[in-house]
Amino acid sequence: MKKSLIALAVLAASGAAMAQSSVTLYGVLDTGLTYSKGKESVYGLTHVGGNTNSRLGFRGVEDLGNGLKATFNLEAGMGVDDGTDYFTGNGMAFRRTSTVGLAGNFGEVRLGRMLTSSYLAVSRYDAFGDTGIGASRAWGNGYAPRAENAISYTSPSFNGFKFGGEYGFGEQKKARTSRYIGVGATYDNGPLSLGVGFDRMNDVAFAELDDSVTPAVVEKWSDDLTTWQLGGAYNFGVAKLLGFYKQTKYKEVGANDSAKFKTFGLGVTAPVGAAGELRVAYNHYRVSADGGKTPKANQLSAGYVHNLSKRTALYGTYAYLKNKKDANMGLQLNGAMSLGKDAAGNQLLNLSNSGVQHGLQLGIRHAF
Amino acid sequence: MKKSLIALAVLAASGAAMAQSSVTLYGVLDTGLTYSKGKESVYGLTHVGGNTNSRLGFRGVEDLGNGLKATFNLEAGMGVDDGTDYFTGNGMAFRRTSTVGLAGNFGEVRLGRMLTSSYLAVSRYDAFGDTGIGASRAWGNGYAPRAENAISYTSPSFNGFKFGGEYGFGEQKKARTSRYIGVGATYDNGPLSLGVGFDRMNDVAFAELDDSVTPAVVEKWSDDLTTWQLGGAYNFGVAKLLGFYKQTKYKEVGANDSAKFKTFGLGVTAPVGAAGELRVAYNHYRVSADGGKTPKANQLSAGYVHNLSKRTALYGTYAYLKNKKDANMGLQLNGAMSLGKDAAGNQLLNLSNSGVQHGLQLGIRHAF
Amino acid sequence: MKKSLIALAVLAASGAAMAQSSVTLYGVLDTGLTYSKGKESVYGLTHVGGNTNSRLGFRGVEDLGNGLKATFNLEAGMGVDDGTDYFTGNGMAFRRTSTVGLAGNFGEVRLGRMLTSSYLAVSRYDAFGDTGIGASRAWGNGYAPRAENAISYTSPSFNGFKFGGEYGFGEQKKARTSRYIGVGATYDNGPLSLGVGFDRMNDVAFAELDDSVTPAVVEKWSDDLTTWQLGGAYNFGVAKLLGFYKQTKYKEVGANDSAKFKTFGLGVTAPVGAAGELRVAYNHYRVSADGGKTPKANQLSAGYVHNLSKRTALYGTYAYLKNKKDANMGLQLNGAMSLGKDAAGNQLLNLSNSGVQHGLQLGIRHAF
């Protein structure tokens, strides 16, 4: 196939202004086989991603002089298995990232929809990086890793120390609905890495099928979510040790009910030869509700990634989750397949109480 | 970050044919803070755009020889605040522009969905170019700036004089539903610019909440819209003076009801130094319905644009609208935020009768 | 317009890995006038495409060494007439193709959504290539040319002989729902070309308006579809002769009802000068249901394609369909316009029984 160099013209919206440009088209396609077994079993093709969540994006930087830069990023999430956007369930929207901003010595200010500083500061201590069946449940359950209608600030690095935060407008007459505020800070120095984050989300909507009554009803309510999380890692060379703690308090709006969801996560990643990486993680989950039982669950995940090149890898992940004390948690199937979803959008197999779930993913990740 | 030149291959659909190509990827990201106050107030991030409506597009031209060219343009409108398409409210569709055509000495014929010749001929005399909170209401109220399922013709320039028109098929058995026909003509000669347009849209659907009865009901009807508009500008160098008049007649289909919506617009734009531009506009709106009152409103808008480069600008706009005689109009928030919308898709704050609305936008526009 | 060469950076998702890339942006825009006349008539702009179905895509190949390659393809289908995706009716999703895979001496394995080997092996003997108003009805009626959530294998060529197959997961607890399995084989040697295919689709949902009762009701059911198809072509130089036979058996799930839809297709394509191509096709359709009548229809299609360049063509197609014995079939308008659609998504004009339908398309196809 003969190829021709392409000349992409850069044209400002006015049709008159023009300048040299740098727009980057990039993407990740990640899919493979997902098998999961609880009370029932299901198998199919991975929807969101098993190693790196699939995406298609455009980004660019313009040098404005005097150390000032304009930046933008538009990134959609597509499920390779069926070609749809895994946020909209339909056409591609830039729901992973949609930002325009200014960067300089002062750091970077961005407007739009983006991963929050708090999430970024601590989710990196999940050995499976909140991706695939091995990921921790810590980043689900109504906790949103992204803010929208938001202003974001990220500081420059002060000897390895950085911080940032987001404020997301509710854009309602009743202004607190959907409002987000959060901050995160990180410290990176050679082998040592630390992170801490705080989030508050107002009036997050929840829904749950209550089939203890006949006919079954869908209960709807909204909660204020307050999250504290911190984590750290140390790279010993032969292996990297990771750990984090996260707790989210759910306070029902207009009621006295509240509950806490806590996650203790531990992980190890280790290079295997020049092209391989081993990952092991343990997660302990604990729910403490007002005057009730304390549902708990434990999860063990193990995975191996084999890089065929810098852009392409094959991987396999196995995960095992065991519920205790009336807990009814499942692995993060992340919309992998067509089963019912819980209120947080996680897909759950029907587990019996105190049940067990196994999950397996074998896949390919290709970046361009 | 090392970069590699990319070779984009050009391949006809058959898989066999191939030729040199010119495809342009371009876009505008425009967002910022929007604040608006009527009876209530709302603030948040600008959805569609404050200075230039946000977009992502692909376009290209192929030289076919003998002065003939094939052209195409695909352009989607995305809200940077949340990453969704502001036409579909969901995934990106090419609802701003979707055309393929042939251009030559005879002008250009295009097929698809495009801004109409009538709208283009006159909306350029809105000092805020139908964008942001300072824009005139003239281009809303059910008046559609685009035709779809349409054939468009644009003439070449005859000493500064150009004309064009569109015919949009209804594509219904009852063929007049959604049908569009319109023409526009422009004259541009040095500092002088003139434009005139005519549109007819058949069977445009409307809906309105009637809460004067209990329970409140949604009334639905459809109107034939007939629009006459004309405008002009003169560039004195230190400043450019703009003015236009527009009237749309709404005739209810299958009934004797009709009404007219008239806009008188005046504006001034003036360069400020090498990088700035000042914009001021006054709009007078007047509704004349059969045998009823004559609701009126006045709007004053002022804005400043500061160009950081040819591609990037910061801007601020203030607008003020005052209703008279039972009028209940609002500023064009253009789907900026999550409040209720009127039948034309404009977002309205709850104004008291004879009410007042203030609006403020501070934002950034970045083109690539 | 000055143009700047663009440097597209290649960046793996991790932000660290990077390598030389080859991503291709490509597309086809095809639209024009469609006119169709049955009992009633409709005219408008072609939605999906008259010569080549419209599309926008990204694809790439990475050389992994040792003869191994990583491949990907993302391709959306857009209607140029209104800028929407003709699969979703809304935003662009990669519903034409969404695959990532590995290719080598062993052939190619792909994961995602793709045209099936069976469809590709035989649909190429439709002189109108399943595109536009001249196309055979063989590829509709609930028969899906694509598998999703699927694994695809395509063999290398063994002296002109190739084969392939797809398995599409149902991804339901009741695992056979939506499951697909199919195989296809082709032989290409100089002027001779042969193809054969088999498909089985489980639990395909159907719906039909039954207006023989008052009030009219929508009947819903699901069928298992089993398809056998084969075809061949011989290129005599002055003309190419094409023929195929296809039969799909519809077996109602949980019932004893079944029916067969059979198509006999014959076609001729012939070059006209250096830039033209003539196409003629005859299709005979026959439905054989349990103990009932045998509805039949005949279709004659004729078209001419004139290439303005390797990338751009003008074309015209005329098609005529005549129903016999209670048949109520229509031409494949392929969602061309806003009339009602049948259960298979084909648009049908209201034909009287034993009715006749005429169709005409005049259009432009531009590829980039």
Side-chain angles (χ1 to χ4, degrees):
Chain A
M1 194 167 67
K2 202 183 102 187
K3 291 183 183 182
S4 60
L5 281 181
I6 190 165
L8 286 198
V10 176
L11 191 69
S14 67
M18 202 169 64
Q20 276 204 319
S21 171
S22 159
V23 58
T24 302
L25 167 64
Y26 66 96
V28 176
L29 293 97
D30 182 326
T31 190
L33 292 171
T34 292
Y35 171 77
S36 182
K37 187 176 182 308
K39 203 170 173 181
E40 301 174 89
S41 68
V42 69
Y43 39 91
L45 245 63
T46 310
H47 187 50
V48 175
N51 175 271
T52 305
N53 290 339
S54 299
R55 67 197 68 180
L56 179 67
F58 305 89
R59 70 179 159 226
V61 178
E62 184 198 13
D63 194 333
L64 297 169
N66 300 318
L68 197 64
K69 288 173 181 177
T71 67
F72 79 90
N73 193 186
L74 297 169
E75 190 176 291
M78 83 232 151
V80 180
D81 56 343
D82 63 4
T84 62
D85 183 301
Y86 50 75
F87 283 96
T88 69
N90 202 314
M92 297 296 132
F94 298 115
R95 299 289 286 166
R96 286 187 56 86
T97 308
S98 170
T99 59
V100 60
L102 291 174
N105 294 332
F106 59 89
E108 183 172 14
V109 173
R110 291 176 301 153
L111 303 175
R113 180 174 158 96
M114 70 287 288
L115 288 168
T116 65
S117 297
S118 175
Y119 172 80
L120 288 170
V122 183
S123 61
R124 58 184 184 157
Y125 304 115
D126 176 350
F128 289 85
D130 191 16
T131 304
I133 208 159
S136 172
R137 284 185 61 85
W139 327 108
N141 303 302
Y143 175 82
R146 290 176 178 84
E148 68 180 10
N149 303 313
I151 303 176
S152 170
Y153 170 72
T154 311
S155 83
S157 177
F158 302 103
N159 298 319
F161 176 75
K162 291 178 73 172
F163 64 92
E166 284 74 32
Y167 180 80
F169 289 96
E171 301 195 344
Q172 309 282 333
K173 288 190 209 176
K174 189 187 165 196
R176 69 192 293 282
T177 302
S178 306
R179 199 174 54 183
Y180 171 85
I181 190 160
V183 289
T186 56
Y187 178 73
D188 290 278
N189 192 342
L192 178 66
S193 164
L194 298 169
V196 61
F198 166 81
D199 309 78
R200 181 161 290 160
M201 304 174 198
N202 290 121
D203 269 7
V204 178
F206 286 86
E208 196 175 63
L209 185 72
D210 181 358
D211 55 4
S212 68
V213 294
T214 306
V217 293
V218 175
E219 285 187 31
K220 292 185 179 184
W221 71 98
S222 66
D223 281 356
D224 288 340
L225 270 62
T226 307
T227 295
W228 281 101
Q229 54 187 343
L230 78 174
Y234 197 90
N235 194 341
F236 293 96
V238 294
K240 189 176 173 184
L241 193 65
L242 310 99
F244 72 93
Y245 169 73
K246 173 167 181 161
Q247 74 161 58
T248 299
K249 183 177 176 183
Y250 299 75
K251 165 93 184 59
E252 190 174 344
V253 177
N256 242 337
D257 273 7
S258 75
K260 280 185 184 166
F261 183 86
K262 298 175 185 173
T263 304
F264 303 82
L266 275 177
V268 178
T269 65
V272 178
E277 192 191 41
L278 199 66
R279 301 170 171 192
V280 179
Y282 165 76
N283 279 272
H284 176 70
Y285 311 114
R286 182 183 291 240
V287 179
S288 56
D290 294 343
K293 293 169 182 172
T294 308
K296 295 175 187 174
N298 291 302
Q299 180 185 336
L300 204 62
S301 309
Y304 180 71
V305 184
H306 180 74
N307 292 297
L308 298 175
S309 75
K310 285 180 178 175
R311 291 168 50 202
T312 306
L314 301 176
Y315 63 84
T317 307
Y318 169 76
Y320 168 90
L321 184 142
K322 185 165 170 52
N323 284 301
K324 289 185 179 180
K325 290 196 187 173
D326 291 326
N328 191 17
M329 305 181 198
L331 295 168
Q332 283 236 50
L333 287 185
N334 250 333
M337 285 164 297
S338 311
L339 289 176
K341 298 179 184 179
D342 68 11
N346 299 320
Q347 245 152 342
L348 289 174
L349 287 174
N350 243 341
L351 299 179
S352 52
N353 276 346
S354 308
V356 163
Q357 190 179 5
H358 301 268
L360 184 68
Q361 280 182 329
L362 301 172
I364 182 171
R365 184 258 296 156
H366 178 63
F368 66 92
Chain B
M1 196 167 69
K2 199 183 105 187
K3 291 184 182 180
S4 60
L5 281 180
I6 191 167
L8 287 198
V10 175
L11 191 69
S14 66
M18 202 169 63
Q20 275 202 320
S21 171
S22 159
V23 58
T24 303
L25 167 64
Y26 67 95
V28 176
L29 293 96
D30 182 326
T31 190
L33 292 171
T34 292
Y35 171 76
S36 182
K37 186 177 182 309
K39 204 169 173 181
E40 301 174 270
S41 68
V42 68
Y43 39 91
L45 247 63
T46 310
H47 187 49
V48 175
N51 175 270
T52 304
N53 290 339
S54 298
R55 66 196 70 178
L56 180 67
F58 305 89
R59 70 178 159 225
V61 178
E62 184 197 13
D63 195 333
L64 298 170
N66 300 318
L68 197 64
K69 289 174 181 176
T71 67
F72 79 91
N73 193 186
L74 297 169
E75 190 176 292
M78 82 233 153
V80 181
D81 56 343
D82 63 4
T84 62
D85 182 302
Y86 50 74
F87 284 96
T88 70
N90 201 315
M92 297 297 133
F94 299 115
R95 298 289 285 167
R96 287 186 56 85
T97 308
S98 171
T99 60
V100 60
L102 291 174
N105 293 333
F106 61 87
E108 185 172 13
V109 174
R110 291 176 302 153
L111 303 175
R113 180 174 157 96
M114 70 288 288
L115 289 168
T116 64
S117 297
S118 174
Y119 171 80
L120 288 170
V122 183
S123 62
R124 58 183 184 159
Y125 304 115
D126 176 350
F128 289 85
D130 191 15
T131 304
I133 210 161
S136 172
R137 282 185 62 84
W139 328 108
N141 303 302
Y143 176 82
R146 291 176 177 84
E148 69 180 10
N149 303 313
I151 302 176
S152 169
Y153 170 70
T154 312
S155 83
S157 178
F158 304 104
N159 299 318
F161 176 74
K162 290 179 73 173
F163 63 93
E166 283 74 32
Y167 180 80
F169 289 97
E171 302 195 343
Q172 310 282 333
K173 288 188 209 177
K174 189 186 163 197
R176 69 192 293 284
T177 302
S178 305
R179 198 173 54 182
Y180 171 85
I181 191 160
V183 289
T186 56
Y187 178 73
D188 289 279
N189 192 343
L192 179 67
S193 165
L194 298 170
V196 60
F198 166 82
D199 310 78
R200 181 162 290 162
M201 304 173 197
N202 290 121
D203 270 7
V204 177
F206 286 86
E208 197 176 63
L209 185 73
D210 181 358
D211 56 4
S212 68
V213 294
T214 307
V217 292
V218 176
E219 285 186 31
K220 291 185 179 184
W221 71 97
S222 66
D223 281 357
D224 289 339
L225 270 63
T226 308
T227 295
W228 281 101
Q229 54 187 341
L230 77 174
Y234 197 91
N235 194 340
F236 294 95
V238 295
K240 188 176 173 183
L241 193 64
L242 310 99
F244 71 93
Y245 169 73
K246 173 167 181 161
Q247 74 162 58
T248 299
K249 182 176 176 183
Y250 299 75
K251 164 95 184 55
E252 191 172 344
V253 177
N256 242 337
D257 273 8
S258 74
K260 280 186 185 167
F261 184 86
K262 298 175 186 174
T263 304
F264 303 81
L266 275 178
V268 177
T269 65
V272 178
E277 192 192 43
L278 199 66
R279 300 171 173 192
V280 179
Y282 165 76
N283 279 272
H284 176 70
Y285 311 115
R286 181 183 290 240
V287 179
S288 55
D290 294 343
K293 293 170 182 170
T294 308
K296 295 176 187 174
N298 291 302
Q299 180 185 335
L300 203 62
S301 309
Y304 180 71
V305 184
H306 180 75
N307 293 296
L308 298 175
S309 74
K310 286 181 177 174
R311 291 170 48 202
T312 306
L314 301 175
Y315 62 86
T317 308
Y318 168 75
Y320 167 88
L321 183 143
K322 184 163 170 54
N323 283 302
K324 288 186 180 180
K325 291 198 187 172
D326 293 324
N328 192 17
M329 305 182 199
L331 294 168
Q332 282 237 48
L333 287 184
N334 248 334
M337 285 165 296
S338 312
L339 289 176
K341 298 179 184 179
D342 68 10
N346 299 319
Q347 246 153 344
L348 289 173
L349 288 175
N350 244 340
L351 299 180
S352 52
N353 275 346
S354 307
V356 161
Q357 189 178 3
H358 301 268
L360 185 67
Q361 281 182 328
L362 301 172
I364 181 171
R365 184 258 296 156
H366 177 65
F368 64 92
Chain C
M1 195 167 69
K2 202 183 102 187
K3 291 185 181 178
S4 60
L5 281 181
I6 190 164
L8 287 199
V10 176
L11 190 69
S14 67
M18 203 170 62
Q20 274 201 321
S21 171
S22 160
V23 58
T24 302
L25 167 63
Y26 66 95
V28 175
L29 294 95
D30 181 327
T31 191
L33 293 173
T34 291
Y35 170 77
S36 182
K37 186 176 180 310
K39 205 169 170 182
E40 301 174 89
S41 69
V42 69
Y43 40 91
L45 246 63
T46 310
H47 187 49
V48 174
N51 175 268
T52 304
N53 290 338
S54 299
R55 65 196 70 179
L56 179 67
F58 305 89
R59 68 178 160 227
V61 177
E62 184 197 14
D63 194 332
L64 298 168
N66 300 318
L68 197 64
K69 288 173 180 176
T71 67
F72 79 90
N73 193 186
L74 298 169
E75 190 176 290
M78 83 233 152
V80 180
D81 55 344
D82 63 4
T84 62
D85 183 301
Y86 50 74
F87 284 96
T88 70
N90 202 314
M92 297 297 132
F94 298 114
R95 298 289 285 167
R96 285 186 56 86
T97 308
S98 170
T99 60
V100 59
L102 291 173
N105 293 332
F106 60 87
E108 185 170 13
V109 173
R110 292 175 301 153
L111 303 174
R113 179 174 158 97
M114 69 287 289
L115 288 169
T116 64
S117 297
S118 174
Y119 171 80
L120 288 171
V122 182
S123 61
R124 58 184 184 157
Y125 304 116
D126 176 350
F128 289 85
D130 191 15
T131 305
I133 210 162
S136 172
R137 284 184 61 84
W139 328 108
N141 303 302
Y143 175 81
R146 290 177 176 83
E148 70 180 10
N149 304 312
I151 303 176
S152 169
Y153 169 72
T154 310
S155 82
S157 177
F158 302 105
N159 298 318
F161 176 75
K162 291 179 73 171
F163 63 94
E166 284 73 33
Y167 181 80
F169 289 97
E171 301 195 344
Q172 309 282 334
K173 288 189 207 176
K174 188 186 167 195
R176 69 191 292 284
T177 302
S178 306
R179 198 174 54 183
Y180 171 85
I181 190 160
V183 289
T186 56
Y187 178 72
D188 289 279
N189 193 341
L192 178 67
S193 165
L194 298 170
V196 61
F198 166 81
D199 309 79
R200 181 161 290 161
M201 305 173 196
N202 290 121
D203 269 7
V204 178
F206 286 86
E208 196 176 62
L209 185 73
D210 181 358
D211 54 6
S212 67
V213 294
T214 307
V217 294
V218 175
E219 285 187 31
K220 291 185 180 184
W221 72 97
S222 67
D223 281 357
D224 289 340
L225 270 62
T226 307
T227 296
W228 281 101
Q229 53 187 343
L230 79 173
Y234 197 90
N235 193 341
F236 293 96
V238 295
K240 190 176 173 183
L241 192 64
L242 310 99
F244 70 93
Y245 169 72
K246 173 168 181 160
Q247 74 162 57
T248 299
K249 183 176 177 183
Y250 298 76
K251 164 94 183 56
E252 191 173 344
V253 176
N256 242 338
D257 274 7
S258 75
K260 279 185 183 166
F261 184 86
K262 298 175 185 172
T263 305
F264 303 82
L266 275 178
V268 177
T269 65
V272 178
E277 192 192 42
L278 198 67
R279 300 171 172 192
V280 179
Y282 165 75
N283 279 271
H284 176 70
Y285 311 114
R286 183 183 290 237
V287 178
S288 56
D290 294 344
K293 293 169 182 173
T294 307
K296 295 176 186 174
N298 291 301
Q299 180 185 335
L300 203 62
S301 308
Y304 180 70
V305 184
H306 180 73
N307 293 296
L308 298 175
S309 76
K310 285 179 177 176
R311 289 168 51 202
T312 305
L314 301 176
Y315 62 85
T317 307
Y318 168 76
Y320 167 89
L321 185 143
K322 185 165 170 50
N323 283 301
K324 289 185 180 180
K325 291 195 186 175
D326 292 325
N328 192 17
M329 304 181 198
L331 295 168
Q332 282 236 48
L333 287 184
N334 250 332
M337 285 165 295
S338 310
L339 290 176
K341 298 178 184 179
D342 69 10
N346 299 319
Q347 246 152 343
L348 290 175
L349 287 175
N350 244 341
L351 299 180
S352 51
N353 274 345
S354 307
V356 161
Q357 190 179 4
H358 300 269
L360 184 67
Q361 280 182 330
L362 301 171
I364 182 171
R365 184 258 295 156
H366 178 64
F368 64 92

